[in-house]
Amino acid sequence: MESNQQHLSTSTAAQLVNWDFAAATAATLVPPGPKMSRREIQAAVADLRRLADESVSHVHRITGLDAAENLRDSQVLIVDRASWAKANSQSFAALMNPMLQHLAETRPDAVKATNTAVAGTVTGAELGAVLAFLASKVLGQYDPFAALAAGRTGGRLLLVAPNIISTEQELNVEPADFRLWVCLHEQTHRVQFAAAPWLRDHLLDQIRLLSTGLMDKAQSLPERISSMAKQLSAAAGGREESTGNGVPDRQLDVLTLLQDPADKARLSHITAVMSLLEGHANVVMDTVDASIIPSVKTIRRRFNDRGVNRGWLDKFFRRVMGLDAKMRQYADGSKFVRGVVDKVGMAGFNRVWEQAENLPTEPEIHNPDLWIKRMGL
């Protein structure tokens, strides 16, 4: 009897979000990108692959992390916008399905009162719209959770070729320089998770604990699922073109209304970790000098300045989906990394990858001396 009930909850959970419809919706809504011939596309893909490989040695030299010498546990994929959206819908499914199963098991009456087929389609459409917006903006993303459904440990690095090309054209910068610059950031994320193989499961546990708590506290099932799906998609935005690779805007995010002290502590921890990861990758990409990327200063200046001219609607959506908060994450994390490295060197900073207890807290992100003192450096 218990086995039948568990099977029923698993089946019901699978219907609460129509992941296939989310991917299909995103593919329908997202524009294809710059017009290019087949030969131009093939050349761009080959160039991105070459630069992704080349960037690893620079990451190794700058970070001093030996994990950069062996990255065979994860993939590098050059994708279009629709493929990025589909890949993320698959990762979200792997992340959310255990939470949805928990919901089906603990709140069966709420699930029973909901037309799961309709709710799943509606939520899938909402998630698809969010993915479509992000799919036209994200330059790259390292997804540590990609292998969850397959039971593997490795992640995958996605480089979104149409967005990289359209952005380099808009900025009017040297394509090879810009592509290497983006690859440096994303390969740094890949190296981070290789250097700290415990990090994926640690983040996964924290996300699931937070998400399960938030779902339990929401008043309506559609609100619960839709909010969680949107936040996951925003958090997974990766290297987005307006940033300086995920925390919701504190004023507009409905999830902030549902937090108890435990939820707030978990969100604070996840915020700190994401700030660390993004800031570290930003520091690496900006550490290279003109001997590696001749136009690096021009790229950074134009990349930062372009956000000033965005329309109000674009800015509104970015704020709602947490992309403004993501910009702050890059800045806060970068200051932390530079603050630590300036005082104790890169070797001292690299203690952060040894164990979960060494990860900085949110107050430490804003005051690196607190972390240095706690580490005894």
Side-chain angles (χ1 to χ4, degrees):
M1 181 69 173
E2 183 178 347
S3 177
N4 289 337
Q5 289 178 339
Q6 185 176 10
H7 174 74
L8 181 61
S9 66
T10 302
S11 177
T12 303
Q15 300 176 42
L16 291 174
V17 180
N18 189 329
W19 301 106
D20 290 338
F21 192 67
T25 299
T28 300
L29 294 177
V30 70
K35 290 185 177 180
M36 300 173 65
S37 68
R38 180 179 294 274
R39 178 174 295 181
E40 290 173 326
I41 293 173
Q42 291 174 340
V45 169
D47 195 40
L48 283 169
R49 285 197 181 281
R50 178 182 63 81
L51 292 170
D53 289 341
E54 179 183 323
S55 65
V56 177
S57 62
H58 299 305
V59 175
H60 184 205
R61 175 177 53 82
I62 293 167
T63 66
L65 293 172
D66 290 338
E69 293 182 320
N70 187 349
L71 295 173
R72 288 193 291 270
D73 69 325
S74 54
Q75 299 174 293
V76 177
L77 301 176
I78 315 299
V79 299
D80 59 16
R81 292 168 172 176
S83 297
W84 179 89
K86 182 177 181 179
N88 274 268
S89 71
Q90 293 169 345
S91 290
F92 297 156
L95 274 173
M96 283 191 66
N97 281 342
M99 307 171 204
L100 298 177
Q101 184 176 344
H102 165 81
L103 190 65
E105 292 171 352
T106 58
R107 303 289 287 275
D109 292 340
V111 174
K112 187 176 180 181
T114 302
N115 186 328
T116 53
V118 173
T121 300
V122 170
T123 303
E126 292 178 343
L127 178 57
V130 173
L131 286 172
F133 178 83
L134 291 173
S136 66
K137 311 298 179 185
V138 173
L139 302 182
Q141 173 196 13
Y142 180 71
D143 179 4
F145 307 117
L148 286 176
R152 300 192 306 272
T153 57
R156 62 185 169 194
L157 172 57
L158 306 175
L159 295 172
V160 190
N163 296 344
I164 294 173
I165 293 167
S166 63
T167 304
E168 69 193 25
Q169 291 174 348
E170 184 178 349
L171 296 178
N172 191 27
V173 293
E174 173 60 37
D177 286 3
F178 183 73
R179 294 170 190 181
L180 178 57
W181 190 69
V182 172
C183 288
L184 282 167
H185 184 103
E186 300 310 331
Q187 289 285 29
T188 300
H189 284 317
R190 195 175 173 211
V191 170
Q192 290 165 348
F193 282 88
W198 48 268
L199 182 57
R200 187 198 76 158
D201 288 341
H202 175 74
L203 272 177
L204 182 62
D205 289 343
Q206 296 300 309
I207 291 170
R208 285 180 172 171
L209 285 169
L210 176 63
S211 303
T212 299
L214 293 172
M215 285 188 176
D216 285 343
K217 295 175 185 67
Q219 295 302 309
S220 72
L221 184 62
E223 175 191 84
R224 196 176 302 138
I225 298 170
S226 178
S227 296
M228 198 65 250
K230 288 179 181 178
Q231 291 308 316
L232 279 172
S233 62
R239 177 101 191 124
E240 198 273 335
E241 63 180 349
S242 71
T243 57
N245 140 59
V247 176
D249 183 279
R250 300 278 176 130
Q251 294 180 350
L252 297 181
D253 175 20
V254 297
L255 296 183
T256 60
L257 304 176
L258 309 175
Q259 296 170 22
D260 62 15
D263 291 332
K264 290 181 179 180
R266 292 188 186 104
L267 182 58
S268 176
H269 178 66
I270 294 171
T271 299
V273 175
M274 296 303 293
S275 295
L276 166 71
L277 299 179
E278 298 294 357
H280 182 235
N282 243 26
V283 168
V284 171
M285 74 190 301
D286 286 340
T287 296
V288 297
D289 57 25
S291 67
I292 305 301
I293 301 180
S295 58
V296 63
K297 291 184 178 179
T298 300
I299 291 173
R300 169 54 77 187
R301 185 181 69 253
R302 293 181 183 177
F303 194 82
N304 288 346
D305 290 347
R306 68 189 306 271
V308 175
N309 299 318
R310 297 191 187 281
W312 70 268
L313 186 60
D314 195 5
K315 290 180 179 178
F316 173 78
F317 276 110
R318 290 169 189 276
R319 188 182 179 201
V320 169
M321 290 192 292
L323 298 180
D324 278 359
K326 197 170 183 66
M327 291 176 67
R328 293 191 293 273
Q329 220 173 54
Y330 281 90
D332 293 343
S334 297
K335 289 178 182 177
F336 170 79
V337 175
R338 290 191 178 99
V340 172
V341 172
D342 286 347
K343 292 191 174 182
V344 300
M346 188 62 76
F349 168 79
N350 281 342
R351 286 196 57 190
V352 78
W353 312 116
E354 293 176 358
Q355 57 184 350
E357 289 74 17
N358 289 8
L359 292 169
T361 64
E362 198 167 9
E364 288 171 344
I365 286 288
H366 298 287
N367 187 349
D369 287 341
L370 295 177
W371 183 85
I372 292 172
K373 182 178 179 180
R374 181 164 67 88
M375 292 296 102
L377 297 171

